[in-house]
Amino acid sequence: MKFFYRSLLPITLLTGLSLFFVLDLDFYFTWTSISSSYSDFKVFQNEYFLVSLTLFSFLYFLSVSFSLPIVLILTIIGGALFNFYAFFACLFFGTLGCWVVFLASRGFLSEYFKRKVDPYIPSISSNFNKSPFTWLISLRLLPLLPIWLGNIVPGVLAMKTTPFIVATFLGLIPGTLIYISFGSGIGRLLMQSEISNFSVFDYPDIYIPLIALFIISSFSFIIKFVRIKRNT
């Protein structure tokens, strides 16, 4: 088991991430590509709801596990296609994917990551070690930060598994809910073919999540700033 998550798992994840870009798979996850095929996705989703939700959940798990730069757009598309069913899928499989990266960060690459961030380790470690659980939740509450950042740092700094999973699950709830709500509004917009000439203020299900995102991000930033000032 140690060989798996210390060697095989990190190699697998790095290989998958590399292949994603080598094969130009990111092309299929551009907004232009997805919006042009949205009606076909919606038809399939209406006819095969459970199958499509299962496929989406598996794709979401892979995207988080391989730290692919498509997690955000997948969350939005999930909201557009499945509404709040996608919230539970993204939350559960997103947490599971984060745990996979967390395990991999404890492998042979942990020393590499430690050397790369060595100048920042003392300050990060001091804040992290005071309350790993609170530190991770605060990081997760910044929805604009890449999700992989909150997976690798706790692994490198030897956070325990159970607190990591719980903090990740709780910390992902607000951001996931906001993006799913936003995606639900975008889905309605796409079905009405109004994406090119609409006012965001005509759609509360679009602008309210954006306002909530701004408030949560600002609140999390203020909390982090106050904590840093107290420690200096």
Side-chain angles (χ1 to χ4, degrees), residues 7 13 23 57-58 70 72 84 96 99 123 139 156 165-167 175-176 179 185 199-201 222-223:
S7 300
L13 297 186
L23 299 176
S57 300
F58 182 65
I70 59 172
L72 175 56
F84 287 95
L96 193 61
W99 174 66
S123 60
L139 187 67
V156 171
I165 293 175
V166 175
T176 303
Y179 288 129
S199 172
V200 68
F201 298 105
I222 291 171
I223 290 177

Side-chain angles (χ1 to χ4, degrees), residues 53-212:
L53 182 59
T54 300
L55 290 174
F56 170 79
S57 300
F58 182 65
L59 179 60
Y60 197 85
F61 167 71
L62 291 180
S63 69
V64 177
S65 298
F66 287 97
S67 301
L68 304 179
I70 59 172
V71 175
L72 175 56
I73 195 168
L74 277 182
T75 308
I76 294 173
I77 293 303
L81 289 173
F82 304 103
N83 294 314
F84 287 95
Y85 288 103
F87 169 73
F88 299 102
C90 291
L91 187 59
F92 177 78
F93 288 99
T95 301
L96 193 61
C98 288
W99 174 66
V100 171
V101 181
F102 171 75
L103 287 180
S105 67
R106 291 177 159 185
F108 72 91
L109 290 176
S110 62
E111 291 302 320
Y112 169 77
F113 288 128
K114 285 181 181 178
R115 289 197 300 270
K116 295 295 283 185
V117 298
D118 186 62
Y120 312 100
I121 282 290
S123 60
I124 294 176
S125 297
S126 61
N127 289 316
F128 179 84
N129 291 329
K130 288 177 183 177
S131 179
F133 188 87
T134 304
W135 186 93
L136 183 55
I137 281 191
S138 300
L139 187 67
R140 297 293 190 198
L141 288 176
L142 289 168
L144 296 177
L145 288 178
I147 193 170
W148 55 263
L149 185 64
N151 301 332
I152 292 176
V153 174
V156 171
L157 296 180
M159 184 177 183
K160 293 182 178 179
T161 301
T162 300
F164 171 83
I165 293 175
V166 175
T168 294
F169 183 85
L170 295 177
L172 288 179
I173 290 176
T176 303
L177 185 60
I178 287 171
Y179 288 129
I180 292 294
S181 302
F182 178 76
S184 180
I186 291 293
R188 185 163 64 90
L189 204 60
L190 288 172
M191 291 303 292
Q192 294 174 358
S193 301
E194 298 175 2
I195 195 69
S196 60
N197 55 349
F198 81 101
S199 172
V200 68
F201 298 105
D202 293 334
Y203 294 86
D205 46 359
I206 292 180
Y207 71 74
I208 289 178
L210 291 176
I211 294 173

